[in-house]
Amino acid sequence: MITVSLTINKKEYTCEIDPQTTLLELLREHLGLTGTKRGCEIGECGACTVIMDGLTVNSCLVPAFQADGSDITTIEGIASNGKLHPVQEAFLEYDAVHCGFCTPGMVLSAVNLLDNNPQPSQEDIRRALAGNLCRCTGYQQIFDAVQAASKKMKSKR
Amino acid sequence: MNQQFEYINPQSLDEAVKLAGQGSVYAGGTDLLGLMKNDIAHPQRLVNLKALPELKAVERQKGKGLRLGALVTLNELAENEMLQKDFPAISQAAGSAASPQLRNVGTLGGNLCQRPRCWYFRGDFDCLRKGGATCFAMDGENKYHCVVGGDGCYIVHPSDMAVALLALEAKLEIYGPGGQRLLPISHFYVLPEDDPTVETVLQPGEIITSVIVPEQPVGSRSVFVKFRERSAWDFAVVSVAAALQVQNGAISGGKIALGGVAPVPWLDKKLNNTLAGTALDENGINKIAASALTDAEPLEQNGYKVILARNMIKGVLQSLAG
């Protein structure tokens, strides 16, 4: 067993786990944070995307030991004080959710994009979401939602 | 993950090298974990390089060129403004690899050492590269396999970085139980005819610590282009990297490297011998392109790669001429 200490959604955790545990397994199975989805488990689909130290990662390909000391944001940490993030609101408004399985990962990639690039072009959005597969193929609604969220966030700034 | 392994976090390079002899070095892990989950790699020990900051530097010294630490991530390479300006082939190759999430974690050293994507190798086939008796691609589904250099095994090397670094005539600093050695990247990869079970000359316990890229002569231009079936998150069907010097409308020196055509990043001899002295006009460009892959022996489904590579070379040369 190894000990891993990390911050998840601004809350500190210390966990005793097997070295084989991935960050995805730590989140879902040890901490009950099941908003992060288990998809392909080999880094191809992006359903398990979380933000780690300011960067999007596939949590299925991050061993928990590698996340020791890091700051993680999952989909559960995106809304604040019961109010949805503008990206989440825009996903609802633009029907950017079909089956919903890719949505947590999509939202995290989009939030991370807007944190770093508040006024992205369509090309920037496509590039930032390139690691997130939507099997329902509703990509255009997703791109539109991210663009709308960036405009909404700009007007509030 | 279902595999049992010991996990160690060495605090020095010497300690890492000592421990790595009986295990796998762990950098970004994006390829290694996939190999472990697919039951291809079974390391008893993972030696994490995370605590070694000396492997994370990007430095440029006048006259000595560029030193890129092996743990620099692909996204750091893609977004580095100095590289975008003076070594665009490096940032273009890094930015075209994998997905944003993988580029945030995947490292330069790991990209150079990743294992092939051949679906027989990755799948449940006891192929030559995994110690079996046959290459299933030879008479199987071989659309994405090599057209040159295959001998018993027909993989293509998947690294984009290696193709760019080969054109730039980079060297690899390798540290191991026997000390340090400096190896041109053109000597790093292994053809199946020499050993079909490994892709590189790395010995147990050896670690790539840095990549050294020589300062390019004045008037040099470099570029990396990649053809893939999807415009994102896909491996190269064919890639072309060029680092060329151009004087008075003609090529005066430099190299073109090809990816996706051979089991190793490929320096086509005839192609590279045709470069120096050839004018970058329509005739010259056609002559250079036609000299590429003249010794290709395509399999049943991949003859298109020869035409594709030649056309991509034309495109690259036109962009450098313009």
Side-chain angles (χ1 to χ4, degrees), chain B residues 221 244-252 275 277-285 288 313-314 316-322:
Chain B
R221 304 172 196 179
L244 299 174
Q245 292 94 57
V246 180
Q247 275 181 345
N248 305 324
I251 297 171
S252 56
L275 296 175
T278 302
L280 276 179
D281 55 16
E282 197 181 339
N283 282 341
I285 288 174
I288 292 169
I313 291 167
K314 280 187 203 174
V316 161
L317 293 172
Q318 280 160 358
S319 75
L320 291 179

Side-chain angles (χ1 to χ4, degrees), chain A:
Chain A
M1 297 292 265
I2 57 170
T3 305
V4 171
S5 298
L6 69 179
T7 306
I8 302 168
N9 301 329
K10 297 180 180 156
K11 197 171 153 193
E12 286 175 22
Y13 295 84
T14 296
C15 313
E16 291 276 325
I17 49 167
D18 287 325
Q20 295 86 324
T21 312
T22 62
L23 177 58
L24 173 66
E25 289 163 346
L26 177 67
L27 293 170
R28 288 182 58 88
E29 289 159 28
H30 293 256
L31 303 176
L33 294 168
T34 53
T36 305
K37 298 303 173 203
R38 179 197 299 266
C40 70
E41 286 199 83
I42 50 171
E44 297 196 350
C45 76
C48 67
T49 300
V50 301
I51 300 172
M52 177 166 142
D53 296 329
L55 301 170
T56 54
V57 300
N58 296 124
S59 61
C60 73
L61 286 185
V62 176
F65 62 70
Q66 200 71 348
D68 186 37
S70 65
D71 184 7
I72 309 285
T73 303
T74 71
I75 190 67
E76 288 90 347
I78 292 296
S80 59
N81 302 324
K83 189 166 165 21
L84 293 180
H85 187 281
V87 169
Q88 291 171 307
E89 283 178 355
F91 267 58
L92 288 174
E93 190 181 334
Y94 282 78
D95 288 329
V97 179
H98 199 161
C99 87
F101 201 76
C102 72
T103 308
M106 286 283 184
V107 168
L108 284 160
S109 286
V111 167
N112 188 249
L113 167 69
L114 298 182
D115 284 347
N116 294 300
N117 177 3
Q119 288 170 270
S121 64
Q122 275 281 316
E123 184 54 35
D124 293 337
I125 294 170
R126 285 165 184 259
R127 207 172 148 72
L129 300 184
N132 296 81
L133 285 188
C134 168
R135 290 204 316 185
C136 313
T137 70
Y139 289 105
Q140 193 55 52
Q141 292 94 320
I142 294 171
F143 300 149
D144 292 344
V146 178
Q147 194 89 74
S150 79
K151 285 183 185 144
K152 201 167 173 183
M153 288 165 76
K154 187 188 167 199
S155 65
K156 282 189 180 164
R157 220 170 259 131

Side-chain angles (χ1 to χ4, degrees), chain B residues 58-78:
Chain B
V58 173
E59 296 164 341
R60 189 174 184 184
Q61 282 181 303
K62 267 215 165 136
K64 286 192 173 172
L66 201 58
R67 176 193 292 267
L68 306 170
L71 287 192
V72 177
T73 67
L74 296 179
N75 249 356
E76 287 165 348
L77 293 173

Side-chain angles (χ1 to χ4, degrees), chain B residues 85-127:
Chain B
K85 182 171 161 286
D86 293 339
F87 297 89
I90 293 179
S91 53
Q92 288 160 355
S96 74
S99 70
Q101 289 93 322
L102 293 169
R103 289 195 295 271
N104 280 334
V105 174
T107 64
L108 173 58
N111 185 274
L112 297 177
C113 295
Q114 66 186 303
R115 303 222 59 195
R117 305 304 305 184
C118 169
W119 39 42
Y120 298 107
F121 173 76
R122 294 271 165 173
D124 198 11
F125 292 86
D126 188 23
C127 78

Side-chain angles (χ1 to χ4, degrees), chain B residues 28-101:
Chain B
T30 53
D31 192 42
L32 182 59
L33 290 193
L35 291 164
M36 289 167 70
K37 289 181 178 190
N38 285 344
D39 219 17
I40 297 168
H42 311 90
Q44 301 294 303
R45 172 190 282 173
L46 294 187
V47 180
N48 196 352
L49 302 180
K50 189 181 179 182
L52 305 177
E54 66 264 39
L55 302 185
K56 291 175 190 162
V58 173
E59 296 164 341
R60 189 174 184 184
Q61 282 181 303
K62 267 215 165 136
K64 286 192 173 172
L66 201 58
R67 176 193 292 267
L68 306 170
L71 287 192
V72 177
T73 67
L74 296 179
N75 249 356
E76 287 165 348
L77 293 173
E79 289 172 6
N80 185 300
E81 288 179 10
M82 179 269 292
L83 295 178
Q84 289 171 355
K85 182 171 161 286
D86 293 339
F87 297 89
I90 293 179
S91 53
Q92 288 160 355
S96 74
S99 70
Q101 289 93 322

Side-chain angles (χ1 to χ4, degrees), chain B residues 133-204:
Chain B
T134 9
C135 170
F136 293 87
M138 199 159 53
D139 298 313
E141 295 294 326
N142 49 37
K143 180 180 174 187
Y144 301 113
H145 289 75
C146 70
V147 294
V148 67
D151 186 356
C153 166
Y154 291 83
I155 61 155
V156 294
H157 198 275
S159 170
D160 292 324
M161 294 313 303
V163 179
L165 293 171
L166 185 60
L168 289 161
E169 301 184 65
K171 291 184 171 141
L172 306 181
E173 264 185 11
I174 296 169
Y175 193 67
Q180 193 184 62
R181 58 177 174 144
L182 190 64
L183 191 71
I185 193 168
S186 56
H187 291 58
F188 182 65
Y189 291 100
V190 175
L191 280 168
E193 64 188 39
D194 296 321
D195 184 348
T197 63
V198 296
E199 292 86 50
T200 75
V201 298
L202 278 187
Q203 298 297 307

